[in-house]
Amino acid sequence: MEDRVTYRDKLKQADREARATVVALAVTIVVWAVGGFGLAGLDIKVAHTPLWVICGTVGAWICAIACAVYLDKRVFVDFSLDDEDGCRASGPDGGIEVSDEEGKNRG
């Protein structure tokens, strides 16, 4: 008999996702600050554009995308907060394991 996921477990997962999102935001801000302000003293140009402009804009953008992909692949779990079938406790990383309509596990 499988363990059923309680509402409390679902809220814990939602809390885990929120905390990971805040960490991802902090990482993106650090990359933006270091790329923009940290490299402002260098006189390096790429295609007549200062390096700090490229790192402060494109670098932060790429970091944000990388963080979003990581969150999607490793942290976020698609589940409903309502009671429904298909949710089981104890996923591979100790989190919630959710099966989609085809029975494929996600999370």
Side-chain angles (χ1 to χ4, degrees), residues 23-103:
V23 171
L25 173 64
V27 168
T28 303
I29 289 171
V30 168
V31 168
W32 170 76
V34 170
F37 298 109
L39 298 177
L42 300 178
D43 191 27
I44 300 173
K45 293 184 179 183
V46 177
H48 303 287
T49 305
L51 183 62
W52 67 268
V53 172
I54 295 170
C55 292
T57 55
V58 177
W61 177 65
I62 291 171
C63 176
I65 290 172
C67 287
V69 169
Y70 177 81
L71 289 174
D72 181 52
K73 299 290 183 190
R74 300 286 186 170
V75 179
F76 290 164
V77 176
D78 187 19
F79 64 91
S80 172
L81 288 176
D82 297 332
D83 289 332
E84 63 182 43
D85 293 334
C87 295
R88 294 183 300 275
S90 302
D93 60 348
I96 295 173
E97 182 175 306
V98 178
S99 298
D100 60 13
E101 295 172 356
E102 300 167 354

Side-chain angles (χ1 to χ4, degrees), residues 11-28:
L11 290 180
K12 283 183 179 179
Q13 176 62 26
D15 184 55
R16 180 175 177 247
E17 292 174 2
R19 290 176 189 264
T21 302
V22 170
V23 171
L25 173 64
V27 168
T28 303

